[in-house]
Amino acid sequence: MAFTTIRFTFHLVAPDLPRILRKRLLPRGYPLPSKFAGGIRLVNTFELCFGKLDGYNEEHTSIKLLALSVCRSIVSLASFKGRIRQFTCTGTIIEHTPPSMRILTSASLIRSSEEDGSKILDKLKIKVRLPSGKLVIGTLWKYDSYYNIAVVNIKASPELREACIHNQVPANVKLSQSKLVAIGRAFESGELMATGGTLLHGTTKFDCQQLMASTCKITKAGIGGLIVGSDGKFMGMSFYYKDGAPFLPFSILQKCLKHFNKFGRVVQLSLGLRIGSLQAEKLHVREQVHDSFPNAHGIYVQMVSDKSPAADSGIKVGDVITKIDKLELFNAQEFHELILDKPKRILRHGEGMPFTLAGTQDKVAMSR
């Protein structure tokens, strides 16, 4: 559950205010103000919609058409502990295996808002609002805290359609300024929402290195929703940030779903590296690399943990990794995708991974 800001902007009769607030706020999981003076206005709530596509213009028409093309795959979810709502978000139907369907959404749905948010709440009841407005009960299947993703099962419904993401050719996420559309659904109203934006090659404010950045301005109701390209291809799953929605690329999501099926969880190989796309690094970093390796491309090593597999293999801060297993790298997402492909081989056979550094022909073997 995310914290909600309360501002005092209108007036109610003072004796009635505490009772009205408790009745309206507590069941929704919102905090009560410390003082009951004047009036209140809730901002940045889970009921706040995004993408006011009023009027007629070419851009808004395209956004609406993209949203309508997947509307029967878009649902909203809310988690409850007793009668108190904990969180609401958007979800996408990703699999239909009778008699059930699976929904991809954010793991914030089941995480505690206290401390670092890593605790998973027990005995939650999950409600899913379908496009028709009907409410059904969902059950948690799998989740991963690092990627902040969860999969919820519901009983199959004829009004829903599976979003065809598994057999789709991965969209090109290398092109900066590519047009994007963020799609979500509000829980209480059931309203379908959409807004436009562009892909950015900057970093995000979140710990997950695999997140990509966009200028799509969504609200918290859009967390867990779809990000699609202007050509209709699925780009990723969105999260909330005030300056624009970061999103986890579908290429990473697909591999996580495969891990759920193969291992029952997402297997994270702890390499002790923090990396970023070289082209997204700050100018002074690019200059340092350019002076030594003018034509270098790949991923830039930002941090190496002591006594980690990366440190033991000789990788240092400032290195540029250009290849893994002879496959050229151009951005950080490609690196993480390849790492997610390795667990089965490494876990079973203990094999290492050969890395090639810029300016050398040498390969650095890294083992788990």
Side-chain angles (χ1 to χ4, degrees):
M1 180 180 64
F3 291 108
T4 302
T5 305
I6 297 179
R7 296 176 182 170
F8 296 93
T9 56
F10 64 86
H11 299 278
L12 294 172
V13 179
D16 294 333
L17 186 56
R19 176 178 59 81
I20 294 172
L21 288 180
R22 288 188 177 92
K23 184 177 180 180
R24 293 182 178 179
L25 300 185
L26 288 181
R28 293 177 172 178
Y30 294 139
L32 291 173
S34 57
K35 294 182 180 180
F36 295 100
I40 66 164
R41 180 171 67 91
L42 288 171
V43 300
N44 206 20
T45 69
F46 290 111
E47 287 73 46
L48 183 63
C49 294
F50 64 87
K52 303 300 181 183
L53 304 176
D54 299 326
Y56 176 85
N57 64 57
E58 185 176 350
E59 181 183 5
H60 285 188
T61 298
S62 297
I63 293 172
K64 291 175 185 177
L65 289 174
L66 282 171
L68 290 173
S69 69
V70 296
C71 65
R72 296 183 69 180
S73 302
I74 307 299
V75 298
S76 52
L77 305 92
S79 56
F80 294 82
K81 200 168 184 65
R83 294 185 176 182
I84 307 301
R85 190 180 72 188
Q86 302 297 309
F87 199 86
T88 78
C89 54
T90 296
T92 303
I93 305 294
I94 58 166
E95 188 175 323
H96 181 196
T97 306
S100 65
M101 287 179 157
R102 285 180 176 165
I103 303 168
L104 175 67
T105 188
S106 168
S108 296
L109 181 71
I110 56 170
R111 295 170 69 168
S112 170
S113 62
E114 299 176 358
E115 299 177 352
D116 62 356
S118 61
K119 180 182 177 182
I120 301 301
L121 296 172
D122 295 326
K123 299 180 180 179
L124 285 177
K125 185 175 185 178
I126 299 174
K127 295 182 180 181
V128 181
R129 188 174 297 280
L130 308 186
S132 65
K134 180 182 178 181
L135 282 175
V136 300
I137 300 300
T139 56
L140 178 66
W141 180 56
K142 301 290 183 184
Y143 70 90
D144 183 80
S145 296
Y146 175 73
Y147 289 111
N148 200 27
I149 61 174
V151 178
V152 172
N153 288 337
I154 61 170
K155 185 178 179 180
S157 170
E159 74 170 272
L160 298 174
R161 292 289 181 269
E162 174 186 350
C164 300
I165 66 172
H166 297 287
N167 297 323
Q168 180 174 276
V169 176
N172 187 354
V173 295
K174 300 176 183 178
L175 301 178
S176 181
Q177 301 301 316
S178 296
K179 295 291 184 181
L180 301 176
V181 173
I183 303 169
R185 191 178 295 279
F187 181 75
E188 289 196 3
S189 67
E191 180 178 339
L192 182 68
M193 306 170 290
T195 189
T198 56
L199 171 68
L200 300 177
H201 268 308
T203 56
T204 72
K205 303 296 182 181
F206 295 83
D207 292 334
C208 181
Q209 299 179 56
Q210 291 85 338
L211 290 177
M212 302 193 74
S214 81
T215 63
C216 297
K217 296 291 183 69
I218 67 170
T219 61
K220 291 181 178 178
I223 294 172
L226 276 182
I227 298 285
V228 300
S230 58
D231 56 1
K233 288 185 178 180
F234 297 108
M235 302 290 284
M237 187 183 80
S238 61
F239 297 96
Y240 174 77
Y241 186 66
K242 60 183 177 63
D243 293 335
F247 65 95
L248 190 62
F250 257 113
S251 54
I252 298 290
L253 287 166
Q254 288 173 323
K255 295 181 187 300
C256 289
L257 294 173
K258 289 181 180 179
H259 278 224
F260 284 154
N261 286 314
K262 287 183 178 180
F263 309 116
R265 62 188 176 93
V266 177
V267 178
Q268 291 286 347
L269 300 179
S270 181
L271 303 179
L273 277 176
R274 183 173 182 85
I275 54 95
S277 302
L278 178 60
Q279 62 181 357
E281 292 295 324
K282 294 182 178 180
L283 182 59
H284 75 274
V285 173
R286 295 292 304 275
E287 182 182 22
Q288 292 171 3
V289 174
H290 181 80
D291 286 344
S292 301
F293 313 112
N295 299 317
H297 61 79
I299 58 172
Y300 181 77
V301 178
Q302 301 169 340
M303 182 274 292
V304 179
S305 298
D306 293 338
K307 299 180 180 179
S308 65
D312 292 343
S313 68
I315 292 179
K316 302 181 293 296
V317 172
D319 282 343
V320 177
I321 301 174
T322 60
K323 294 180 181 179
I324 298 180
D325 278 354
K326 299 181 180 180
L327 297 173
E328 288 195 273
L329 298 173
F330 293 91
N331 57 58
Q333 279 66 41
E334 292 174 334
F335 174 87
H336 294 298
E337 289 171 27
L338 289 170
I339 295 301
L340 282 170
D341 282 335
K342 300 298 179 181
K344 186 174 181 180
R345 195 176 81 185
I346 293 173
L347 290 174
R348 291 187 178 180
H349 306 293
E351 297 181 18
M353 289 176 290
F355 288 61
T356 301
L357 305 181
T360 74
Q361 299 301 316
D362 298 328
K363 293 180 180 177
V364 180
M366 187 185 300
S367 300
R368 181 177 179 269

